[in-house]
Amino acid sequence: MGRNGEHIVGEGSIPDEEWERFLREAAAGTPGAPKEPSARARMVTRRLREQPGPPAGWRTHTPARRRAGRGWYVFGLLVAVAVLAAALLPGRVTGWWGNGDAGAAPLAAETVRPDQPPPTERAAGLPTLDDPFRGSPAQRWSDGATGLTLPAARATGWMSTAEVARALERSRDFLVAANLDPAVLRGERPAKAIASVNSQQKGMRDYLANAFTAPTREDDPLLLFSRFDATKVRPAGDVVKTRGRITYREGERGAVEVSTDVTYVYPLVRAGAGDDEVARTIVRREVVMSWDDPAKVRVDPGTFSLVSYKVDTANGGCDAYTGSYVPEFTAERAATGEGPAVDPYDRSTSIDAHLGRTDGTTCGRATRS
């Protein structure tokens, strides 16, 4: 598996994956002087732990006319049921017609945590330049920012409904700038994303200053940003698949606390010409942002303070703090990993519970890429 980071600092319909499986089997504080945010974000980076990158790598006789009429009636009824189901359960009935192949409708947005990993693709196969997500559950995930669905806004803490809506949009903008911006993905400094973070927050200034000049285990830009070395790899196409949830609540001192849990799947090929082997790097991030009341917290206008950030990466490199993900292709992959086997597509638990960690980690292996 890959890197895991944590920053210290909260569901009843049926998950999409469970519906899909069912359908296939059924044939469906008080105001005061402003305070400076805590240094929890910085402290969390010091506790970051490693998780390995993947092993590199669904009768009685009847006159003919009447018999035909009954057949068409039954056929028409089945079609009507299918159309109704498709209208009521978009993204869930596609399992009837295929196995998540290219062109299949994407899954409905994830509104609650699923209760189990996504099923293994029946039409599994190696990814290609034309189909870089082949054999992966991500094939039916959303493309890029469309997978970052925002909840309905309501007045919360010190913010009005309109202000909460704006905070949610800016939170999504940060995720896009940090994880989907093509320039950032090819290794450029994530200036737009950094500008969204409150520079008054203790520890964050040092972290952001050091991470891009002298990355270490504690000051690693990959804890918050997705970056690759453009001299070694390039995108296999222009799509990054995403799946996740964004929620919010009232936090400390009336702040609006936005929690995000998103998995990003990056398909890549070697930078050199003539090599079309596709590898995938899978990055799951849990980031919690606090939109603080400026009457109570010292904050740059239009920015948020980081409450926590955790990351787990599959096939992104292990114990190599270069400031960029280092995906492995067939030639570089080890046969086994030292740590436990982990499914990088499993979103049924939190990152911590998923990895089963306390203190320290080792490089392990992913069960699929």
Side-chain angles (χ1 to χ4, degrees):
M1 279 292 299
R3 299 165 194 252
N4 172 258
E6 174 184 359
H7 161 94
I8 306 175
V9 176
E11 290 166 68
S13 63
I14 300 176
D16 302 327
E17 289 83 0
E18 183 59 23
W19 263 108
E20 185 178 352
R21 179 178 287 104
F22 170 77
L23 289 170
R24 284 202 303 266
E25 294 176 352
T30 59
K35 300 179 181 178
E36 187 169 344
S38 73
R40 290 178 295 176
R42 173 67 172 178
M43 293 169 61
V44 171
T45 62
R46 295 186 180 280
R47 297 174 50 204
L48 291 175
R49 299 169 293 215
E50 279 291 308
Q51 182 73 9
W58 110 105
R59 298 178 246 286
T60 57
H61 175 72
T62 309
R65 182 176 180 180
R66 181 180 182 114
R67 193 164 56 237
R70 178 175 293 177
W72 280 110
Y73 171 80
V74 173
F75 176 77
L77 179 60
L78 290 174
V79 170
V81 171
V83 170
L84 178 60
L88 295 176
L89 303 171
R92 289 173 175 167
V93 300
T94 52
W96 293 355
W97 317 123
N99 301 300
D101 55 333
L107 295 173
E110 182 181 284
T111 56
V112 297
R113 188 187 298 281
D115 62 4
Q116 58 188 310
T120 300
E121 296 298 306
R122 288 180 292 169
L126 295 176
T128 66
L129 286 173
D130 292 332
D131 192 0
F133 299 100
R134 176 185 293 175
S136 162
Q139 189 157 50
R140 293 185 55 213
W141 290 7
S142 298
D143 294 355
T146 60
L148 310 180
T149 306
L150 297 179
R154 66 181 184 280
T156 303
W158 71 282
M159 287 185 167
S160 66
T161 297
E163 289 170 328
V164 169
R166 186 159 53 249
L168 289 170
E169 291 171 356
R170 289 177 176 175
S171 298
R172 179 176 58 189
D173 289 344
F174 170 78
L175 297 181
V176 171
N179 301 281
L180 298 173
D181 185 322
V184 174
L185 293 181
R186 61 175 176 259
E188 295 186 18
R189 185 181 179 86
K192 183 177 180 180
I194 291 174
S196 301
V197 181
N198 181 18
S199 68
Q200 303 297 318
Q201 187 173 14
K202 290 180 178 178
M204 290 309 299
R205 284 166 290 191
D206 290 342
Y207 162 69
L208 293 172
N210 297 332
F212 300 97
T213 56
T216 64
R217 183 186 180 96
E218 295 178 351
D219 293 335
D220 187 348
L222 300 180
L223 299 176
L224 277 174
F225 313 102
S226 292
R227 308 168 77 235
F228 297 88
D229 186 340
T231 66
K232 296 181 178 179
V233 295
R234 58 184 174 84
D238 56 2
V239 173
V240 175
K241 289 290 187 176
T242 58
R243 188 154 185 80
R245 302 182 310 282
I246 298 177
T247 59
Y248 67 97
R249 66 172 189 172
E250 181 174 350
E252 295 182 6
R253 295 186 289 273
V256 175
E257 188 173 284
V258 179
S259 298
T260 68
D261 179 353
V262 182
T263 301
Y264 307 85
V265 182
Y266 304 96
L268 305 144
V269 295
R270 291 187 178 89
D275 191 337
D276 59 1
E277 180 187 351
V278 177
R280 290 186 289 251
T281 293
I282 306 160
V283 180
R284 181 180 175 189
R285 297 187 186 279
E286 293 177 0
V287 180
V288 181
M289 303 164 246
S290 179
W291 293 89
D292 300 312
D293 183 348
K296 300 176 182 177
V297 173
R298 191 174 303 149
V299 59
D300 300 329
T303 68
F304 61 81
S305 299
L306 280 161
V307 177
S308 68
Y309 44 91
K310 305 174 186 178
V311 60
D312 181 55
T313 305
N315 198 23
C318 185
D319 292 330
Y321 302 100
T322 64
S324 299
Y325 286 125
V326 184
E328 294 181 342
F329 294 82
T330 301
E332 299 94 17
R333 289 173 185 162
T336 60
E338 298 175 0
V342 178
D343 182 355
Y345 293 98
D346 184 0
R347 296 181 45 78
S348 64
T349 62
S350 67
I351 286 180
D352 283 344
H354 181 57
L355 298 173
R357 298 180 178 169
T358 53
D359 294 319
T361 63
T362 59
C363 293
R365 58 189 182 86
T367 58
R368 51 182 167 177
S369 62

